[in-house]
Amino acid sequence: MPASRALAKSLGVSRDTIESSYAQLHAEGFIDRRVGSGSFVAEISEFLPRYQRAKRDVRHANRAPSLSKRGAAMFQSGGVCELLTPRPFAPGVPDTRSFPLSLWERTQRQVLKEVGTQALLHGSPQGAEPLRQAIADYVNLERGARASADRVLVLTSSQQAMMLCASMLLDPGERIFIEDPAYYGARNAFDAAGLECIPVSVDRQGVMVEPILSDPRRAKAIYLTPSHQFPTGATLSLDRRLALIDWAARNQAWIIEDDYDSEFHYAGKPTACVQGLDHRDRTIYIGTFTKSLFPGLRIGYAVLPQELVKPITIARTLLDGHTASVAQLTLARFVEGGHFGAHVRTMRGIYAQRLDVLTKLVVKHLGEFVTPQVPIGGLQMSCEFICDISERSVIDAARRVGIELLGLSALHADRKGKAGFLMGFAAYTPEELEVAVKKLATTLQREKRK
């Protein structure tokens, strides 16, 4: 190696810099330093042939990763990918532009002033007690639940809740009933856990209970979206709710109730949640603030039967420990102060108006292609094709012009359901909806001519 003085001069740097670099190379075994002789590249001939051979092997080897069966299932599912910048008509996206950000900032400052550096420490894996109490009070009042703070587990999302339920309540190969069509995130979570998903058809009254009650093979759980079924928007009737509660009790099975978007109900009052009707305590109630407030909050929750609180809380510590304390305490104060309820009421009116606008636009501009299935709640509307056109080609063509659609047929277990797409409307103004619908109409005309 060049002498340190000569190298420093040629590079125009301090000799101390060269000496420091040589010392680091020597410490890491790349060079040998011999007093009176200088610095030399270290001899590693003993390992070099094996190292070179390994490099060649890696270059020519199959690059497919070696995953476990569960890992491969998770990878093949495609996950649940959310758009960083939502495009019309991405489903499930709330309007963040109308969120009272200054009020949230003021609330957070109040929390930090009162709690101080305590908010910077690790929080309880079960969630901050003030937030758990606020959640319990809210779901009891608004959803007719039977919750208490000690039964609430604060999580990062409803998706995390479903993954925990799949892992903690069922073993690979065991059966779970799931709505058909169903929310793709839930199906992916259960598939990744190695469960056998048994699809059950949905009609205008929600999931059909007869196939469940008459199935001779035992299932350990059922996954439901009873408030308004995803993606059809159907509400599960009371007699079916009671039948499923009785089925779960008799079979020692679990009901996983995903009460997504329950805050946004546009026709009359929403039906009480299944968990509130279940006096046998076989229902796990899942909710999230991602849709009702803003996606970046990353706070969801589960109301658990008492005997599941400790095991599932311990299981969540293996995934991510706990959610952020500052966000939890701010949200708790936001809910306690009545700001959450006020925001939901405001947005419910805005979303109802946007749903009405979208419905009229679809009838006017897309009427020759689809029939809108107007929901009574939620942040998206499904549209079914009434002409012979490829669902896949329409979705791909729409994406090329900046429009995001979710195909309906892919939400069915056999991928052969009625063709169409979901249109999210909540995050877009009436003017933006009109521009996007007209652009989609042009795209559909082009695809139909093909």
Side-chain angles (χ1 to χ4, degrees):
M1 300 283 289
S4 60
R5 189 185 305 276
L7 184 57
K9 184 177 181 180
S10 68
L11 296 178
V13 298
S14 166
R15 188 182 177 193
D16 289 342
T17 301
I18 301 301
E19 282 293 338
S20 176
S21 300
Y22 275 19
Q24 185 66 31
L25 289 169
H26 175 67
E28 294 182 9
F30 289 102
I31 66 173
D32 291 329
R33 308 198 74 179
R34 303 170 192 169
V35 179
S37 299
S39 301
F40 300 86
V41 176
E43 294 184 14
I44 52 174
S45 56
E46 179 183 352
F47 305 102
L48 193 56
R50 190 191 317 168
Y51 172 70
Q52 290 175 332
R53 185 168 61 250
K55 284 178 66 177
R56 287 195 300 270
D57 291 344
V58 168
R59 247 191 338 262
H60 295 99
N62 186 343
R63 292 186 180 275
S66 178
L67 301 175
S68 66
K69 289 182 179 179
R70 179 169 291 181
M74 294 175 72
F75 177 60
Q76 291 164 7
S77 74
V80 181
C81 299
E82 305 288 355
L83 294 172
L84 297 180
T85 304
R87 299 187 293 263
F89 298 94
V93 181
D95 183 1
T96 56
R97 290 173 291 186
S98 300
F99 183 76
L101 189 57
S102 59
L103 176 58
W104 180 268
E105 290 174 336
R106 189 162 64 249
T107 304
Q108 181 170 289
R109 285 197 301 271
Q110 292 171 353
V111 166
L112 290 174
K113 184 177 180 180
E114 294 177 17
V115 181
T117 57
Q118 189 69 26
L120 309 181
L121 302 175
H122 284 87
S124 165
Q126 192 176 340
E129 197 280 336
L131 179 56
R132 289 190 284 114
Q133 186 62 59
I135 290 170
D137 292 342
Y138 174 76
V139 296
N140 288 343
L141 177 65
E142 297 292 339
R143 302 297 300 121
R146 295 183 304 108
S148 55
D150 63 322
R151 293 175 59 183
V152 174
L153 173 61
V154 180
L155 300 164
T156 56
S157 64
S158 56
Q159 193 68 35
Q160 186 184 44
M162 286 183 279
M163 290 292 290
L164 283 168
C165 288
S167 301
M168 293 296 291
L169 304 181
L170 297 93
D171 289 314
E174 290 191 310
R175 306 168 85 237
I176 179 171
F177 288 118
I178 185 169
E179 299 164 329
D180 188 32
Y183 171 54
Y184 55 93
R187 191 188 301 278
N188 289 350
F190 302 143
D191 284 342
L195 309 185
E196 183 184 354
C197 293
I198 310 301
V200 183
S201 297
V202 172
D203 62 17
R204 293 186 177 182
Q205 297 185 66
V207 69
M208 301 174 70
V209 299
E210 290 80 7
I212 298 170
L213 303 180
S214 61
D215 194 318
R217 296 177 60 194
R218 189 167 179 263
K220 291 289 291 291
I222 181 171
Y223 169 78
L224 298 173
T225 52
S227 293
H228 53 275
Q229 199 273 335
F230 186 96
T232 67
T235 299
L236 187 63
S237 63
L238 178 61
D239 59 332
R240 294 186 182 185
R241 293 171 186 240
L242 296 175
L244 289 174
I245 290 170
D246 181 66
W247 168 83
R250 284 187 292 102
N251 292 277
Q252 290 296 288
W254 298 105
I255 297 172
I256 302 172
E257 179 181 11
D258 184 0
D259 204 28
Y260 84 104
D261 291 357
S262 62
E263 295 85 1
F264 304 117
H265 197 88
Y266 311 127
K269 297 203 73 173
T271 308
C273 65
V274 172
Q275 192 268 358
L277 299 171
D278 182 9
H279 294 277
R280 315 281 187 87
D281 240 8
R282 304 299 303 179
T283 302
I284 295 145
Y285 178 91
I286 298 172
T288 178
F289 292 97
T290 298
K291 302 288 191 292
S292 52
L293 292 178
F294 54 94
L297 182 59
R298 303 312 302 148
I299 294 181
Y301 58 90
V303 180
L304 303 167
Q306 194 65 59
E307 69 268 25
L308 293 181
V309 173
K310 188 172 182 179
I312 294 186
T313 299
I314 289 174
R316 83 77 50 91
T317 66
L318 299 174
L319 296 179
D320 65 354
H322 62 98
T323 45
S325 298
V326 174
Q328 286 189 61
L329 295 172
T330 303
L331 177 57
R333 184 69 59 86
F334 197 77
V335 176
E336 291 165 358
H339 308 307
F340 175 68
H343 178 66
V344 165
R345 287 191 294 273
T346 298
M347 300 315 296
R348 188 183 295 137
I350 291 174
Y351 293 164
Q353 179 196 17
R354 291 179 181 180
L355 173 59
D356 183 58
V357 168
L358 178 62
T359 302
K360 291 175 180 175
L361 288 170
V362 168
V363 171
K364 180 178 179 180
H365 299 286
L366 307 180
E368 64 177 295
F369 304 104
V370 297
T371 299
Q373 309 296 312
V374 184
I376 60 172
L379 307 181
Q380 53 273 321
M381 178 176 73
S382 63
C383 295
E384 296 180 352
F385 282 126
I386 56 175
C387 62
D388 187 16
I389 192 169
S390 167
E391 178 185 285
R392 183 71 260 168
S393 66
V394 167
I395 291 171
D396 291 341
R399 188 168 292 141
R400 288 193 293 270
V401 297
I403 292 176
E404 193 70 24
L405 301 173
L406 178 63
L408 293 180
S409 63
L411 300 176
H412 290 259
D414 58 6
R415 311 282 176 174
K416 296 179 181 178
K418 185 136 187 171
F421 46 76
L422 276 180
M423 302 179 76
F425 56 82
Y428 317 104
T429 65
E431 294 75 21
E432 291 169 337
L433 290 173
E434 183 173 9
V435 171
V437 167
K438 289 179 177 178
K439 187 184 292 186
L440 180 57
T442 301
T443 302
L444 286 167
Q445 290 283 4
R446 189 181 305 120
E447 290 303 307
K448 186 178 181 181
R449 285 195 296 270
K450 288 182 182 178

